[in-house]
Structures are given as C-alpha cells and as structure tokens.
Amino acid sequence: MQADSSNAGPAGRWPAGAQFGLFLSHDIDKIHDREPFYMLGSANHIRRMLMGGEKGSVRLALRRLGRALFAPKPPELDFQTILELEARHGFRSTFFVLHDRGGCRKGSRYSLTAPALRRIVKRIQAAGGEIGLHGGYYRFNQAAGYRESREVLRETLGVEAIGIRNHFLRFSGPETWLAQEAAGFQYDATFGYSDRLGPREGRRLPFIPEDPATGRKMDLVELPLTVMDMPLFRNLGLNGEGALEAAWKAIEPVIQAGGLVTLLWHNDCFNEPEYADWQWTYEQLLARLAARNPWCATGAEIAAWWRSKQ
Ligand SMILES: [Zn+2]
C-alpha cells in the first residue's frame, strides 16, 4: 500500500477551499448502435444469459438488439443526457476518444471522421468539457503509436489532447507512463482497477510518477481512478441501492482524505432500459457529490492545478 495517510486535505490543496477534487470521465468505446461488433456483443450477452446464467434481462437485451438493427439510437443522444445530468450540478467532464486499428475486436468501433463524432465533440466542447485520447489496445505502450493518435485527433477533430486513458485500463507500470510522456501527454488517467472498486494501491491523490531506472520525476501527472461502472455492475453484480452504497463506500474515504474522486462511466450505458441502474447510480452519485461541494474540473485542469502545486 502506498496510501497517503492524511485524514483531511490541507487547506489550499484544492481551489476555492474545496475539501476534495472531482474528476468525471467517460471512455468513448462506441457511438453507433448498428455496428457489427456491438451487435455481436449483444447477441453473445443474450446467449450467456440463456446458457451461462449471466445477469441481465433477455427481453430488454433483445429489444436493444432489435433497436440497433431497425431503429438505431442517434449517436448524440447519450452525450446530451450525460452533459445535462452533469450541468445540473455545474459539473464538467472529460471524454476520451478511441483511436486505434479498425475492424478488430479490441480496436476502434467508429471512425474519427464520422460526422456524428464531430457533432458529439462540438457538443462536449460547448458544454466546457474536455476531449482526451482513449489509448488504443493495439498501440499499448508505444510512444510512436500514441503520438500518431494525438496527431490524428488534432487533424480530424481539431483537438489538442492533453490527457490519455488506455482502453481496457491497460497498464504495465513505468513503461506505460514513459510512452505517454514521450508522446507529449500531460496526464494519464489509466491507473485504476478494472475488476473492483476503490483506488489502486490506495492512491487517493494525483501523483507524479518516477522513472525507476533513473529516479527522475516524469513530466506527467497521474489522476487515479476511484470507481468505474463495469466492476460495480458486472464483476460485483450489484444494482440499485446496493450499487450506489458500494460505490459510495469506495468514494467516502477519498473525500475524507481530501483526495481526488474519479468516476468513469461509459456513454453507451445511458438511455438503455437494460442498464437503467447504471444511469440511475451515476445520477445519485453526482447528487451526493454535489452536496459535498467538490472542486469539479476537467482532467486537464486538475493536472495543471496539481502541477502548479508541486
Ligand atoms: Zn475503453
């Protein structure tokens, strides 16, 4: 454990006298309903529910598959919903756009030149949100690959990506950070658990990683993850109040320590009757967090603030 031992944030740790920082984030793995891998995934989900006892509603999953085929959900809808939910509390968030090889199961599910993506990015920026890079599975730990992705984001979307979070939270320690640093990123948000709740290694605060070979402090800030939607609902199989309370149990110690609470909710679980609990839990968490008056900012703003305090 490398947990920071303080029980409350020292005055001035966060702007505006806030007790803790709040980083709301979303990985954009997909934007299209009618997309072969997404529909295949939905079909497999239905098969596993029928054969292997996976949790979920076969009726709602079939309805979702039918909708994807015959009346796909407009790609902007989920983003509009997320931005509205966050704006209720004056919150802004960061969305990580995936760039990787297309046509592969773990690759990109959308094109960066898709007009819908352009509209989504404009909408996020108009709401004061940030666009970062969702680092590709097939580019893992490759400085040149990450750099190319930054350039493609700049050329196709006019976005200067400052932050990165790797797809599937792929992370291998200093090699990951060194590759991201070499590609010019200022912060990473990959450091977290993909199968359980709470901060990895008890890290409740942003930190600047060191290169173990030289002891050099890297030119990169890590914003550690607190709670992601997947482990809550998939690995732990929770729903409703149970999910909310489990998430809160992981979040509260971070607030108590004056740390950074980072949430990761995927855009494609919104406006989905089968995943209504995912959205409901997010809404409830935002309301609870708002009541504690956090400093909520984009990843880029949080990283810049943390750097200025060093
Ligand atoms: Zn992802």
PDB file of all heavy atoms in Angstrom, residues 2 74 78 84 190 262:
ATOM      1  N   GLN A   2       0.479   2.185  -0.839  1.00  0.00           N
ATOM      2  CA  GLN A   2       1.192   3.456  -0.816  1.00  0.00           C
ATOM      3  C   GLN A   2       0.198   4.541  -0.448  1.00  0.00           C
ATOM      4  O   GLN A   2       0.266   5.664  -0.921  1.00  0.00           O
ATOM      5  CB  GLN A   2       1.786   3.755  -2.180  1.00  0.00           C
ATOM      6  CG  GLN A   2       2.821   2.738  -2.608  1.00  0.00           C
ATOM      7  CD  GLN A   2       3.284   3.001  -4.012  1.00  0.00           C
ATOM      8  OE1 GLN A   2       3.551   4.113  -4.384  1.00  0.00           O
ATOM      9  NE2 GLN A   2       3.386   1.971  -4.807  1.00  0.00           N
ATOM     10  N   PRO A  74     -29.863   7.670 -31.973  1.00  0.00           N
ATOM     11  CA  PRO A  74     -28.964   8.700 -32.518  1.00  0.00           C
ATOM     12  C   PRO A  74     -27.682   8.751 -31.686  1.00  0.00           C
ATOM     13  O   PRO A  74     -27.755   8.766 -30.458  1.00  0.00           O
ATOM     14  CB  PRO A  74     -29.761  10.002 -32.361  1.00  0.00           C
ATOM     15  CG  PRO A  74     -31.152   9.604 -32.035  1.00  0.00           C
ATOM     16  CD  PRO A  74     -31.128   8.224 -31.477  1.00  0.00           C
ATOM     17  N   ASP A  78     -26.823   9.930 -26.013  1.00  0.00           N
ATOM     18  CA  ASP A  78     -26.233   9.619 -24.703  1.00  0.00           C
ATOM     19  C   ASP A  78     -25.353  10.756 -24.194  1.00  0.00           C
ATOM     20  O   ASP A  78     -25.305  11.021 -22.992  1.00  0.00           O
ATOM     21  CB  ASP A  78     -25.405   8.328 -24.785  1.00  0.00           C
ATOM     22  CG  ASP A  78     -26.259   7.155 -25.207  1.00  0.00           C
ATOM     23  OD1 ASP A  78     -27.472   7.196 -24.953  1.00  0.00           O
ATOM     24  OD2 ASP A  78     -25.711   6.216 -25.812  1.00  0.00           O
ATOM     25  N   GLU A  84     -26.290  16.939 -19.723  1.00  0.00           N
ATOM     26  CA  GLU A  84     -27.399  17.560 -18.983  1.00  0.00           C
ATOM     27  C   GLU A  84     -27.354  17.165 -17.506  1.00  0.00           C
ATOM     28  O   GLU A  84     -27.553  17.989 -16.624  1.00  0.00           O
ATOM     29  CB  GLU A  84     -28.746  17.148 -19.596  1.00  0.00           C
ATOM     30  CG  GLU A  84     -29.070  17.960 -20.847  1.00  0.00           C
ATOM     31  CD  GLU A  84     -30.273  17.438 -21.624  1.00  0.00           C
ATOM     32  OE1 GLU A  84     -30.973  16.521 -21.107  1.00  0.00           O
ATOM     33  OE2 GLU A  84     -30.499  17.935 -22.741  1.00  0.00           O
ATOM     34  N   THR A 190      -5.241   6.218 -16.400  1.00  0.00           N
ATOM     35  CA  THR A 190      -5.423   4.772 -16.544  1.00  0.00           C
ATOM     36  C   THR A 190      -5.298   4.033 -15.217  1.00  0.00           C
ATOM     37  O   THR A 190      -5.778   2.904 -15.091  1.00  0.00           O
ATOM     38  CB  THR A 190      -4.360   4.204 -17.527  1.00  0.00           C
ATOM     39  OG1 THR A 190      -4.410   4.952 -18.745  1.00  0.00           O
ATOM     40  CG2 THR A 190      -4.621   2.754 -17.851  1.00  0.00           C
ATOM     41  N   THR A 262     -12.423  10.125  -8.722  1.00  0.00           N
ATOM     42  CA  THR A 262     -12.526   9.987 -10.181  1.00  0.00           C
ATOM     43  C   THR A 262     -13.567   8.923 -10.512  1.00  0.00           C
ATOM     44  O   THR A 262     -13.463   7.783 -10.052  1.00  0.00           O
ATOM     45  CB  THR A 262     -11.175   9.563 -10.793  1.00  0.00           C
ATOM     46  OG1 THR A 262     -10.183  10.514 -10.439  1.00  0.00           O
ATOM     47  CG2 THR A 262     -11.259   9.464 -12.302  1.00  0.00           C
TER      48      THR A 262
END
